[in-house]
Amino acid sequence: MDSFDYLAPRSLNEAFSALGNGKTSLLLAGGTDVIVQLREGRRHCDQLIDLKHIPELMSYKANADGSLEIGAAVPLAELYENTDIQRRFPALVDCATIIGGIAIQSRATLGGNLSNASPAADSSPALMALNARLVIASSAGSREIAVEDYFAGPGRNTLQPGELLLQVKIPAPAPNSGAFYHRFIPRNEMDIAVASSGVAITLDADENITAARVALGAVAATPVLVPAAAAALIGKPANAETFAAAGEAAAAAATPIDDMRGGIAQRKHLAKILTIRALDNALNRIRENR
Ligand SMILES: Cc1cc2nc3c(=O)[nH]c(=O)nc-3n(C[C@H](O)[C@H](O)[C@H](O)COP(=O)(O)OP(=O)(O)OC[C@H]3O[C@@H](n4cnc5c(N)ncnc54)[C@H](O)[C@@H]3O)c2cc1C
């Protein structure tokens, strides 16, 4: 591994000064991606800026309106151990509990998972389904974007020089809504998705779908939102026929590569099946909570 300086700023302003000091920087949250990449010589920097001592990045809170604000460097385990999050945001728990094992989850963060910009990252489709927004900050101020606008390509996010991801904001779940995330992996743990699907649906009193979001992972150069799958759901009854149509739309939107983890036809088929199953599970969650 190349040598580099290690900086541990205690405030956002200190972090912004470090980012602007003219040296090549990499940010460190849990380090479960970036340390591996540095060690393998895939990434290089003059300085590694540790975000885990900055209070705004290390805290999270539920707001009075039911929304959630999560500092980008909060460990995943801290999130999924919270009973309020378990109850109100189970799709966040779905993704956080399958990223690596417990040791990884004790360090790894949503900020790192998103910023690493892997097409197969587990939090991305789940957060897209949940309609999450990201707060991006720099010495010049902050801006907010939809999570689906954070990805520029494999390993590339849309941060500009001097910026960091500060917060993930998840709106309050609508009444009578449910969400679910899952993935296909060839073995049971410690693997990355061959394909994945995150969905969220809202129903009226007659179980017609009034709102929907569907997102896929590992089937394109970035995680993708699938508006055609949402359109196949909205205004329709929440049943097998409707879910099958959304599954077909998901498969049609998938543009996967063929690699050692899976083939194109397999990944398109998985996009369909995972979407249908995620919708079934989201519907079950709504029914269980009535
Ligand atoms: C054994 C093992 C198993 C794994 N399993 C999975 C898995 O099942 N699913 C999965 O999705 N991933 C998996 N990963 C990858 C990794 O654990 C996750 O992507 C994790 O969420 C990364 O978070 P982190 O905080 O450790 O990121 P870091 O490694 O600290 O950072 C990752 C990247 O994001 C940048 N970054 C971090 N925080 C910010 C910020 N606030 N603003 C801007 N840029 C930032 C860093 O500079 C770096 O480029 C696995 C890794 C290992 C080693």
Side-chain angles (χ1 to χ4, degrees), residues 104-182:
I104 294 286
Q105 292 151 14
S106 304
R107 285 285 308 171
T109 65
L110 290 181
N113 194 243
L114 294 168
S115 302
N116 189 55
S118 161
D122 284 306
S123 73
S124 309
L127 290 169
M128 285 157 75
L130 292 172
N131 207 5
R133 295 185 66 78
L134 305 182
V135 180
I136 290 167
S138 71
S139 57
S142 65
R143 63 189 175 95
E144 218 178 280
I145 60 169
V147 64
E148 53 270 26
D149 295 331
Y150 195 49
F151 311 108
R156 286 187 298 118
N157 62 45
T158 55
L159 285 182
Q160 299 301 308
E163 290 185 326
L164 56 77
L165 174 56
L166 178 62
Q167 232 177 29
V168 178
K169 291 167 101 170
I170 308 178
N176 223 18
S177 70
F180 195 89
Y181 171 78
H182 67 162

